Amino acid sequence: MGEEAPEEVFLSLEDDDVAPIPHPITPEPSIVANPMEQLEPVDVVEAELVEPAVVEQATGVYEVMWPLLGMDCPDCASKATGALSYMKQVSESKITVTSGEVNMKVNLEHGPLSEVASVLRSLGHAPDVEHHELVGAKASNIAKRNGVPVQKLERVVKRQPGVLDAEVSDDDRILVQLVSTANQQLLDARQRALASILGHDPTFAKAQSNRLRPDQWRLIGAGIALPILALVMLTELLGMHGRWIGALALPGVVLGGLQMFKEAWASLRNLQMGFQVLTSLAVIGACILEMWEEALIVSVLVAFTAHLEGDALVKAREAMQGGLDRLPRTARKVTGPAAACVTPNTPIVAAAGFSLPMASGPVLAKPTSTSTTETVPIDLVRPGDKIEIRSGELIPADGRIIEGKGALDKAPLTGESVPVDVGPGDVIEAGLVLARGPVVCEVLAVGDETRLSGLIDAVHTFREEPPRLHSGIETFTAVWVPTVLFGAFAVWYFVFPGDWKIILLLWVVACPCALLLATPMPHAAALSNAAQSGVIVRGGEALERMAHINHVLLDKTGTLTSGRPTVDRIVMAKGRRESAALKLMMGLEARSNHPYALAVMDRCEALGVEPAKISDMADIEAGVEGRQGSTRVAFIRPDKANTMGVEVPKPLNEAFNDAKREGHGASLLVKGDQAIALVTFVHDDTRDGSSELIASLHQRGITVEILSGDHPSAVTEFARTVGLPESAAHGGLSPEQKVAWVKGRSKSHITMMVGDGFNDAAALAVADVGVAVGTGETVNLEAADILIPGDDPRMLTHMVDLARKAQRTLMQNLFFSVFVTVTLVVAVVQQWYDQLWVGVLIHEASVILVILNGARLARQGEVGALLKSTLASMRDDTLEAFKSFRNRYLSKAPSA
């Protein structure tokens, strides 16, 4: 580390006491559940002194992300991003309000990660990351080993790679907050650096910090200031004035607004003009003018409404959870004697283009009663570990079930509304929800190696992409805020030269938080609603375009039809029995994945047919053959019958010719050298809901056309069956012709092209909105703006309705927030009110309403229910803050 640099000071009221989680967990290498049980037998290293300069300094550029507390306003996110732009080690930083996360690239050569976390903490955005104790490490001994006072040990630990924050507790323990990352280089560097400090490999135990968070200090200050406000109001009613009122009110102003003042000072130090700066100036100005009642009201209002605003956004994020958008940061790891199974050695294809290891007939052993679990960071879970997943939990890693049975919610991936039963030997994927459990799994892949990680990253990224309208709003606010800030001086100088309170009033209402949240909230909520049904939308812009479509072009195969053949007719030769023929067909096709084979199997299973015993099975050029007893049997293409010396009766020939004429397929069942049955296949069966889709689109004022490569007469006939006129059916089109057709329609309409994402990729790309129908396993997501899984075409109507509802909500938020912001400014200039607290109350209330109005799209919730839940949470949070304060400062210190 070299020469010790001057320590940066960040204003903070956060203190350093911690308490371990009370639930005991059996220790194991790397993670220990109950550190208190381990402290006695652990020999803490007290080797020769190690100068901090020799501790490994990590280098390299890493992409990291962590969730933040108190990130509830786009303006706050903008100011925090601006503060990070001044830090040498940070590049490409992005803070999103809808997810409450910070993403960045950090160059550790230019400074540690903890400096970044400290700057964000000083602005009121501490890491929302669990604390872990360094087990067996007594702070006094580790400080001595590193040649530093205990008071500076925190700083030494903070400078290590991958550490966001560090604390030394009153009982001599060290706690750290670690960034969760899948980057093995950063993890290895963190382990080596901490090992250099400790003198042994670090082991971690989950712990809970009693250090009060910024939001808790805010609630405590407001809770103390509130009765002081009531006392000041009562005193004024009794006729008391002057210095006595100031002496009574000033402590309430300081306590109620201290967190606001801290964050305002941190904003100024980082060259940012945040909302806290404006409200702090307003409160200070009110105190100078001896407007004590107003100063107290503003302090209390800012504290409570800021927490209410943040909690409303948290509720919105909770409503938006689900739908392949995230992986959990922790896992429940099984320790001690656990379930075992044979080592997998045979890969099976779990989905198109992806293989997972799978044992053939795994030997399962039920865990003994001594098996325990512990919650560990996901980056400490490795393939081969055993993890437990319980009902309703998000699966943290790809794994193969070795114990237990459950049901897997695959709706976000396939659109299936009913959970799929899973049991021992089945593979479950990270990012999905275990609807019913529990199960114990052997981990197959973690983090970026998981099967759905790419899709999850895409969904998460798309959700943060704002609609086009949002960029216009940001441009407007970039002009509006400085105009009001500096215009306030002009209004004071030219209009109200004797009343500089007008400046404070205008500053309070200048921050357009509600306006900045007007567009991202409804779009993020709508995208989450879609994702819960498996629909993936490439950001708010695609959803915005979908809200305006007036012409839909549908590819027939795979969209309105399944594209999977079904059995049409079974024609028997004279003297042959159909039941016997079906048994032969089922026996021959039992191991085939050919589409005709699957159609035959479906028909036989529906009729309860048992397969005949067939031996010597083999694939041949014309189909498949085998032996029943000593007789050769085969299921072949009818046009190959002559070359194989098979005699085909006249009725079967006629049926084959009819099938060809109608565009149907056919297969011939042969026994010996005689054809005994002909099966004809309809290549496409109409999906349930196709007719309803066409009718519902028409009801919404959307015109529909079918584009297909099939024969024009077949497409025309199909169009009639789903309620479309002949003029709307276009068959015999090549992919290039589809592109030309879509381009032509897009000149006069706002178009949506719906296809399979592969053959129709070019047509999807040239439409205003491209929709791929399939599943997240089988469809190229890059080919479309929207991916709709499953077999129900009516999901298209649902998405159109959702997009239009999101657009209506967006416009409601937009007009409401603009109206409130402009009205407040006009009201100040026209002197409709002259009290600071009125502007603060209306400003904050508008923000909360915009959040709740957008959030209701996530799960069709009512604004009233969400608001009620948010108010209840604020009450509970306030009581919890005072309880934590009492435990920390008013209770007896815990014995060592």
Side-chain angles (χ1 to χ4, degrees):
M1 291 184 187
E3 186 175 319
E4 189 168 293
E7 184 171 356
E8 290 192 66
V9 179
F10 296 96
L11 294 177
S12 177
L13 287 175
E14 295 151 359
D15 42 297
D16 303 324
D17 198 24
V18 292
I21 287 183
H23 305 292
I25 309 174
T26 303
E28 131 177 350
S30 295
I31 293 291
V32 178
N34 191 340
M36 301 307 294
E37 296 179 359
Q38 291 291 316
L39 290 178
E40 290 303 322
V42 172
D43 294 325
V44 180
V45 175
E46 297 187 50
E48 70 281 357
L49 297 183
V50 179
E51 293 294 333
V54 305
V55 177
E56 176 180 342
Q57 177 68 48
T59 59
V61 178
Y62 303 96
E63 188 168 346
V64 295
M65 177 276 291
W66 67 88
L68 300 171
L69 289 168
M71 181 52 64
D72 53 18
C73 168
D75 186 61
C76 298
S78 176
K79 298 298 187 291
T81 303
L84 295 181
S85 68
Y86 292 102
M87 304 192 73
K88 289 179 62 177
Q89 65 263 53
V90 176
S91 62
E92 299 181 27
S93 62
K94 181 181 179 183
I95 298 176
T96 55
V97 176
T98 50
S99 62
E101 295 171 342
V102 58
N103 293 265
M104 72 182 73
K105 287 185 178 179
V106 59
N107 189 337
L108 296 183
E109 290 185 20
H110 296 149
L113 199 57
S114 59
E115 285 183 1
V116 182
S118 293
V119 167
L120 293 173
R121 181 188 295 274
S122 70
L123 296 170
H125 311 304
D128 188 12
V129 177
E130 292 176 330
H131 288 77
H132 288 86
E133 180 184 344
L134 292 173
V135 178
K138 290 192 174 182
S140 54
N141 291 337
I142 300 302
K144 180 180 178 182
R145 167 181 165 77
N146 288 273
V148 295
V150 174
Q151 294 83 351
K152 290 192 175 183
L153 181 61
E154 285 185 4
R155 185 168 179 269
V156 172
V157 177
K158 284 180 181 180
R159 294 189 64 83
Q160 306 318 308
V163 176
L164 294 173
D165 198 10
E167 307 172 29
V168 173
S169 69
D170 289 344
D171 56 357
D172 212 28
R173 293 179 292 127
I174 305 172
L175 268 77
V176 292
Q177 286 181 293
L178 307 174
V179 67
S180 180
T181 177
N183 189 299
Q184 194 58 45
Q185 283 184 306
L186 183 56
L187 292 174
D188 292 342
R190 184 183 75 195
Q191 292 295 100
R192 288 194 302 269
L194 291 177
S196 297
I197 293 174
L198 301 177
H200 58 83
D201 289 337
T203 55
F204 303 92
K206 185 177 176 183
Q208 190 164 351
S209 175
N210 276 348
R211 184 173 66 177
L212 295 176
R213 303 187 307 269
D215 61 306
Q216 290 179 313
W217 278 115
R218 184 182 289 114
L219 289 174
I220 290 169
I224 296 174
L226 192 59
I228 294 177
L229 170 62
L231 194 58
V232 168
M233 295 174 71
L234 178 62
T235 304
E236 288 184 343
L237 285 175
L238 295 175
M240 296 181 64
H241 300 284
R243 293 182 180 178
W244 291 106
I245 297 292
L248 180 62
L250 187 59
V253 173
V254 172
L255 291 172
L258 191 54
Q259 189 63 33
M260 175 180 66
F261 298 146
K262 278 181 51 194
E263 293 172 10
W265 175 241
S267 293
L268 292 174
R269 289 181 59 221
N270 289 287
L271 306 179
Q272 303 299 315
M273 180 68 76
F275 180 61
Q276 297 86 353
V277 175
L278 303 178
T279 51
S280 296
L281 289 174
V283 169
I284 292 170
C287 291
I288 293 172
L289 296 174
E290 296 187 357
M291 300 161 55
W292 299 110
E293 187 176 318
E294 281 205 56
L296 277 168
I297 291 175
V298 171
S299 298
V300 172
L301 270 179
V302 168
F304 280 130
T305 56
H307 186 84
L308 194 63
E309 180 182 324
D311 197 65
L313 198 53
V314 168
K315 289 286 186 295
R317 290 175 190 146
E318 290 173 354
M320 288 188 286
Q321 287 182 358
L324 287 180
D325 64 342
R326 74 228 185 274
L327 288 174
R329 297 192 297 271
T330 60
R332 188 177 289 102
K333 188 175 177 181
V334 177
T335 60
C341 70
V342 297
T343 302
N345 51 24
T346 306
I348 64 164
V349 176
F354 187 88
S355 295
L356 289 173
M358 189 70 158
S360 177
V363 179
L364 302 173
K366 192 172 183 178
T368 67
S369 59
T370 58
S371 297
T372 57
T373 62
E374 59 188 14
T375 301
V376 303
I378 191 62
D379 55 24
L380 295 180
V381 174
R382 298 288 181 267
D385 289 345
K386 309 296 189 298
I387 60 173
E388 182 188 53
I389 305 109
R390 297 175 184 173
S391 297
E393 290 184 345
L394 197 64
I395 298 169
D398 287 351
R400 186 182 63 253
I401 297 176
I402 58 176
E403 183 210 344
K405 294 181 180 180
L408 186 65
D409 181 6
K410 299 194 76 173
L413 183 62
T414 65
E416 298 176 57
S417 58
V418 179
V420 178
D421 290 336
V422 291
D426 289 332
V427 172
I428 57 177
E429 296 89 3
L432 299 177
V433 172
L434 188 71
R436 188 180 72 250
V439 297
V440 175
C441 299
E442 180 181 2
V443 175
L444 300 175
V446 183
D448 291 342
E449 301 301 318
T450 56
R451 175 181 162 207
L452 302 179
S453 64
L455 189 60
I456 291 170
D457 289 343
V459 173
H460 194 81
T461 301
F462 297 156
R463 188 169 299 175
E464 302 304 330
E465 292 182 4
R468 286 174 293 183
L469 185 60
H470 189 66
S471 60
I473 293 173
E474 289 182 330
T475 302
F476 168 76
T477 56
V479 175
W480 167 261
V481 174
T483 298
V484 175
L485 290 179
F486 293 105
F489 288 100
V491 172
W492 163 69
Y493 187 78
F494 292 108
V495 183
F496 304 101
D499 183 13
W500 62 274
K501 182 183 177 183
I502 196 76
I503 299 175
L504 305 180
L505 288 165
L506 287 171
W507 281 0
V508 164
V509 300
C511 185
C513 296
L515 187 60
L516 288 168
L517 281 169
T519 56
M521 278 307 303
H523 275 95
L527 296 182
S528 174
N529 183 310
Q532 289 161 22
S533 301
V535 179
I536 299 172
V537 184
R538 294 178 68 87
E541 186 174 337
L543 197 69
E544 187 177 23
R545 293 197 306 271
M546 193 176 196
H548 296 100
I549 62 163
N550 55 24
H551 190 79
V552 173
L553 301 117
L554 300 169
D555 176 56
K556 180 173 75 74
T557 304
T559 304
L560 300 174
T561 63
S562 67
R564 178 175 171 176
T566 56
V567 173
D568 181 33
R569 298 170 57 205
I570 299 176
V571 182
M572 301 301 303
K574 188 175 180 179
R576 300 290 183 173
R577 289 182 297 120
E578 184 176 315
S579 58
L582 288 172
K583 290 181 179 180
L584 282 177
M585 294 178 203
M586 194 173 186
L588 285 166
E589 298 288 31
R591 298 181 184 178
S592 174
N593 285 322
H594 189 280
Y596 284 0
L598 297 176
V600 168
M601 294 297 291
D602 287 345
R603 170 62 71 89
C604 292
E605 288 174 0
L607 296 174
V609 174
E610 293 293 329
K613 186 175 181 180
I614 307 295
S615 60
D616 300 333
M617 294 278 293
D619 289 329
I620 58 176
E621 183 182 356
V624 62
E625 70 174 5
R627 304 193 75 82
Q628 184 184 36
S630 60
T631 306
R632 186 190 72 152
V633 291
F635 206 33
I636 64 173
R637 291 169 48 183
D639 58 349
K640 296 293 185 180
N642 289 336
T643 60
M644 295 180 64
V646 174
E647 182 180 342
V648 182
K650 184 178 179 180
L652 302 190
N653 261 324
E654 291 175 350
F656 175 51
N657 291 330
D658 291 342
K660 286 195 295 182
R661 195 163 44 249
E662 295 170 0
H664 296 168
S667 289
L668 195 65
L669 182 64
V670 177
K671 187 170 185 179
D673 57 1
Q674 294 287 322
I676 63 172
L678 180 85
V679 182
T680 63
F681 300 92
V682 177
H683 286 158
D684 273 337
D685 61 318
T686 304
R687 291 191 189 277
D688 291 338
S690 293
S691 299
E692 292 91 330
L693 168 66
I694 304 299
S696 63
L697 290 175
H698 284 159
Q699 289 170 4
R700 287 157 178 79
I702 300 172
T703 54
V704 182
E705 289 182 299
I706 295 178
L707 307 182
S708 178
D710 288 354
H711 193 278
S713 61
V715 178
T716 300
E717 180 59 32
F718 175 80
R720 290 197 192 99
T721 65
V722 293
L724 283 175
E726 183 176 341
S727 59
H730 310 285
L733 299 179
S734 67
E736 293 78 14
Q737 289 172 319
K738 288 184 181 181
V739 170
W741 193 280
V742 174
K743 281 183 176 179
R745 284 289 185 258
S746 296
K747 291 177 181 178
S748 56
H749 298 78
I750 301 174
T751 58
M752 179 169 73
M753 174 67 195
V754 185
D756 62 12
F758 284 101
N759 298 331
D760 301 312
L764 296 179
V766 298
D768 293 299
V769 178
V771 179
V773 178
T775 72
E777 302 167 301
T778 60
V779 171
N780 178 11
L781 187 59
E782 296 302 317
D785 299 301
I786 298 172
L787 165 65
I788 295 183
D791 300 330
D792 190 351
R794 288 168 292 195
M795 183 63 74
L796 281 168
T797 307
H798 169 71
M799 282 307 302
V800 170
D801 289 344
L802 183 62
R804 291 182 174 183
K805 188 177 295 184
Q807 192 67 14
R808 286 196 300 270
T809 304
L810 182 152
M811 297 310 295
Q812 290 169 2
N813 283 352
L814 190 59
F815 285 120
F816 172 72
S817 55
V818 169
F819 173 77
V820 168
T821 304
V822 174
T823 301
L824 283 173
V825 172
V826 172
V828 170
V829 175
Q830 295 294 323
Q831 292 191 305
W832 294 347
Y833 74 91
D834 62 353
Q835 294 175 306
L836 292 171
W837 68 268
V838 175
V840 171
L841 180 62
I842 297 175
H843 174 275
E844 294 294 327
S846 68
V847 174
I848 294 167
L849 288 177
V850 164
I851 291 172
L852 296 176
N853 192 40
R856 67 189 175 88
L857 288 174
R859 292 186 182 176
Q860 307 301 323
E862 295 295 330
V863 173
L866 287 170
L867 181 59
K868 182 179 178 182
S869 173
T870 301
L871 291 171
S873 292
M874 190 179 74
R875 177 200 62 206
D876 296 340
D877 291 344
T878 302
L879 295 175
E880 181 63 30
F882 275 97
K883 181 180 177 182
S884 298
F885 181 85
R886 185 182 68 248
N887 292 339
R888 174 66 183 94
Y889 294 105
L890 305 180
S891 299
K892 288 185 178 180
S895 57

